[in-house]
Amino acid sequence: MKNLPLKFYCILICLCCVNITNAYSQEKENNIDNNSELIALSKQNWQWMADRNIDLLKNLFHEKAVFVHMGATMNKEQEINTIKSGGIQYKHTEIQDISVRFINNMAIVLDKIRLTAIVEGNEVINPFMVTEVYIKIDDEWKLGSLSFTRTLE
């Protein structure tokens, strides 16, 4: 290696830079694709809850999922039963801002929303910051947690 020409080292460095740039570009492209996929999935989740599409929600919610509302913490079965029975009716979700962050095979979706719902027969409108945690299992995103934090408008 001591007798290799300087030109060889320059080419080697250039190839390393190209590989790093390509890897960075590919990762950035994958993040954009995952961002779009999760934003679309989050929006679908809100619509499925409003439509009470229980079958799709059961498939989306992980078996060990937790749901934190203003007055209760529920597991998957309790959340599904609450939606199914109309204990909470998600009428309309106005998504005002949404962002996605990734940690390995987990994604955290933060939604700033204004939620119109019927709770125990009364229509309520609340501003929330909602944290949705998704885990990618076998190339499929599963909702692991959904937490509502009421905000001041």
Side-chain angles (χ1 to χ4, degrees), residues 11-148:
I11 290 172
L12 185 62
I13 289 170
C14 287
L15 288 173
C16 287
C17 289
V18 167
N19 280 339
I20 289 169
T21 302
N22 285 342
Y24 176 76
S25 296
Q26 183 65 40
E27 183 179 326
K28 191 175 178 181
E29 191 174 296
N30 288 342
N31 281 343
I32 290 170
D33 289 345
N34 281 332
N35 264 4
S36 300
E37 181 183 3
L38 281 156
I39 288 170
L41 185 59
S42 174
K43 288 178 180 177
Q44 281 203 305
N45 180 36
W46 291 112
Q47 190 58 52
W48 292 342
M49 290 194 296
D51 295 342
R52 294 188 199 176
N53 197 329
I54 301 303
D55 290 336
L56 292 175
L57 291 171
K58 279 182 179 177
N59 186 51
L60 177 64
F61 297 169
H62 189 276
E63 290 303 316
K64 295 181 180 177
V66 293
F67 301 85
V68 181
H69 295 273
M70 290 193 310
T73 301
M74 299 183 207
N75 62 28
K76 176 182 178 176
E77 183 180 344
Q78 292 168 322
E79 181 74 10
I80 291 290
N81 288 337
T82 299
I83 294 169
K84 192 176 182 178
S85 70
I88 299 174
Q89 293 178 25
Y90 297 90
K91 285 183 68 179
H92 177 69
T93 304
E94 177 190 334
I95 298 172
Q96 299 171 331
D97 192 24
I98 189 166
S99 66
V100 182
R101 296 178 188 183
F102 296 95
I103 302 171
N104 296 326
N105 67 336
M106 181 178 72
I108 301 168
V109 178
L110 289 176
D111 299 303
K112 181 180 178 186
I113 66 167
R114 185 174 172 83
L115 177 65
T116 304
I118 297 177
V119 180
E120 298 176 4
N122 299 311
E123 183 170 300
V124 292
I125 300 171
N126 285 301
F128 287 110
M129 182 60 76
V130 179
T131 306
E132 300 173 70
V133 178
Y134 291 90
I135 304 104
K136 197 164 200 172
I137 301 171
D138 297 329
D139 286 330
E140 188 176 5
W141 291 105
K142 295 288 183 180
L143 181 69
S145 178
L146 182 71
S147 300
F148 293 81

